[in-house]
Amino acid sequence: MIHLQNVSKTYHSKSGNVDAVKDVNLDIDKGEIFGIIGYSGAGKSSLIRLLNGLELPTEGIVEVAGNRINEVSNAKLRKARQEISMIFQHFNLLWSRTVRQNIMFPLEIAGVPTSKRRERANELIKLVGLEGKENAYPSQLSGGQKQRVGIARALANDPKVLLCDEATSALDPQTTDSILELLADINKRLGLTIVLITHEMHVIRKICHRVAVMENGRIVEEGEVLRVFRQPKEEMTKRFVKQLAEPEEAKETIEHVLERVKEGQVVRLSFIGDSAEQPLITEIIRSFNVDVNILQGKISQTQEGAFGTLFIHINGEETEVEKAIAYIQSKQVEIEVMTHV
């Protein structure tokens, strides 16, 4: 559905050239929810603007939904953009128009008859859960409701690709989850290809099938979300994974434990898939003469299964501790000794 080959984008200014995107190669499948994550300045927004033709690449090929975006004429580009919709962080709604009128607006531009525009808008209002808000103005809506209008408007022309540029960054955590769940539902119902630009690993974890990590204009790592969570290769990726796997309170708890205990080992366990749901700690205590103190734990659900991280302190005779660790490894659970105390 989306193919990028050796794509680069350089901005020219009086103060010098800025290489925003550098030699990016990427393929995104039809019906996939694909996340692109990176910190501010990584090149994410420039990359997404290349996908809908708002920017043209300095070098390389950009193909989206069968259209070579960097080579089509202006007339064909306008038509191609009807198959590539976008939602934004700050909604970009028309404040003088109602919910229904905002959703109808792209159809109005496309020359769709009024009756058809209204019929389509009503379908989308129901799809995004805004029944009863048809005649409300944006100023009368919550942030989550505004973003639902933005999503409905983006779907008006029945696009093949939906681009989301930091679409949940302005929302509180609960509203963010509801919008992500809506996007996942739309993906399943319509088979829509969704590309999410974000700096939040929670967004990737919640709904994406695959993820690419950007740094300094380049894609430094790419893969299935569960694989990236379990075995991040690049330092940038490890930093993002730690946003979920190792919250600050976990570090504080471990430091507190290390100050007090003089024996045993503190280890970090990483679970994936079915292993995240097994009663591992109970089995260790029953099978070995060790004490186990749970310091911090968290299990997160991804589109492909569960991913969990658990910090524990194991204490006992050295041989028993070694047996317990070997048993953990036999259960296909990754284990990392944080420190010897």
Side-chain angles (χ1 to χ4, degrees):
M1 180 59 70
I2 296 174
H3 172 69
L4 303 183
Q5 182 178 331
N6 303 123
V7 172
S8 296
K9 177 62 181 180
T10 301
Y11 295 101
H12 304 283
S13 67
K14 293 180 180 179
S15 59
N17 296 336
V18 177
D19 297 321
V21 178
K22 304 174 187 177
D23 196 28
V24 167
N25 292 280
L26 189 64
D27 287 288
I28 300 174
D29 297 332
K30 180 180 179 181
E32 186 173 26
I33 304 179
F34 192 94
I36 300 174
I37 191 168
Y39 290 114
S40 179
K44 310 184 302 296
S45 292
S46 294
L47 183 62
I48 203 170
R49 289 171 66 86
L50 291 170
L51 297 181
N52 62 7
L54 291 176
E55 298 283 355
L56 295 178
T58 307
E59 296 179 7
I61 296 170
V62 179
E63 291 183 357
V64 182
N67 298 294
R68 189 164 288 193
I69 301 298
N70 56 310
E71 294 182 2
V72 298
S73 64
N74 288 337
K76 288 185 177 180
L77 181 58
R78 285 193 294 271
K79 185 176 181 181
R81 281 180 179 154
Q82 293 182 3
E83 298 184 333
I84 309 168
S85 284
M86 193 164 179
I87 58 175
F88 306 87
Q89 178 180 357
H90 297 296
F91 319 125
N92 288 12
L93 302 180
L94 300 171
W95 296 91
S96 61
R97 295 197 177 205
T98 65
V99 167
R100 181 184 283 115
Q101 290 168 342
N102 264 281
I103 297 170
M104 291 169 61
F105 185 63
L107 300 171
E108 181 182 333
I109 294 175
V112 176
T114 302
S115 60
K116 293 290 185 182
R117 296 202 301 262
R118 191 177 184 88
E119 180 182 347
R120 178 62 173 158
N122 288 339
E123 291 175 359
L124 292 169
I125 286 168
K126 184 177 180 180
L127 177 67
V128 301
L130 285 175
E131 297 98 323
K133 297 291 184 180
E134 295 89 340
N135 299 315
Y137 289 89
S139 61
Q140 299 171 304
L141 303 176
S142 67
Q145 290 170 336
K146 291 172 188 174
Q147 195 56 282
R148 287 173 184 269
V149 178
I151 293 170
R153 182 184 59 185
L155 297 176
N157 278 314
D158 195 21
K160 295 179 180 178
V161 175
L162 179 62
L163 307 177
C164 308
D165 190 5
E166 299 281 7
T168 60
S169 294
L171 306 175
D172 62 75
Q174 184 175 355
T175 306
T176 291
D177 282 350
S178 70
I179 293 299
L180 294 176
E181 288 165 4
L182 173 61
L183 290 173
D185 182 59
I186 288 170
N187 167 258
K188 290 177 181 177
R189 288 194 191 192
L190 306 181
L192 190 65
T193 303
I194 299 177
V195 181
L196 284 167
I197 299 291
T198 185
H199 64 274
E200 300 173 296
M201 202 62 181
H202 169 74
V203 172
I204 302 297
R205 187 272 298 174
K206 185 80 175 177
I207 66 169
C208 292
H209 301 112
R210 289 194 297 138
V211 60
V213 182
M214 285 197 75
E215 183 181 14
N216 297 325
R218 299 184 184 276
I219 290 180
V220 297
E221 189 160 356
E222 176 192 346
E224 295 179 356
V225 170
L226 270 181
R227 198 280 301 165
V228 170
F229 266 52
R230 185 175 185 179
Q231 297 176 323
K233 297 177 181 177
E234 301 296 325
E235 284 303 314
M236 179 61 63
T237 312
K238 292 176 183 178
R239 288 172 62 185
F240 279 118
V241 172
K242 283 184 178 181
Q243 288 181 5
L244 294 176
E246 297 182 22
E248 287 300 316
E249 57 267 28
K251 297 177 184 177
E252 294 173 2
T253 301
I254 292 169
E255 289 173 1
H256 178 68
V257 170
L258 296 182
E259 290 174 359
R260 298 181 58 134
V261 300
K262 303 300 180 183
E263 298 176 333
Q265 292 182 342
V266 174
V267 297
R268 174 182 183 268
L269 309 181
S270 296
F271 308 84
I272 192 167
D274 293 339
S275 65
E277 300 173 4
Q278 300 302 314
L280 182 64
I281 302 303
T282 301
E283 292 173 0
I284 294 171
I285 295 171
R286 286 176 176 173
S287 303
F288 307 97
N289 187 24
V290 294
D291 295 322
V292 179
N293 182 23
I294 297 175
L295 307 179
Q296 176 74 32
K298 185 173 184 180
I299 294 179
S300 300
Q301 292 295 326
T302 74
Q303 284 284 69
E304 303 301 324
F307 171 82
T309 302
L310 188 66
F311 294 87
I312 62 175
H313 173 228
I314 306 177
N315 194 22
E317 293 291 335
E318 184 176 350
T319 55
E320 285 296 297
V321 172
E322 290 176 354
K323 289 178 183 178
I325 290 175
Y327 177 78
I328 293 170
Q329 292 170 330
S330 73
K331 295 297 183 180
Q332 298 183 326
V333 174
E334 289 193 8
I335 180 169
E336 175 188 358
V337 177
M338 303 299 293
T339 182
H340 291 270
V341 296

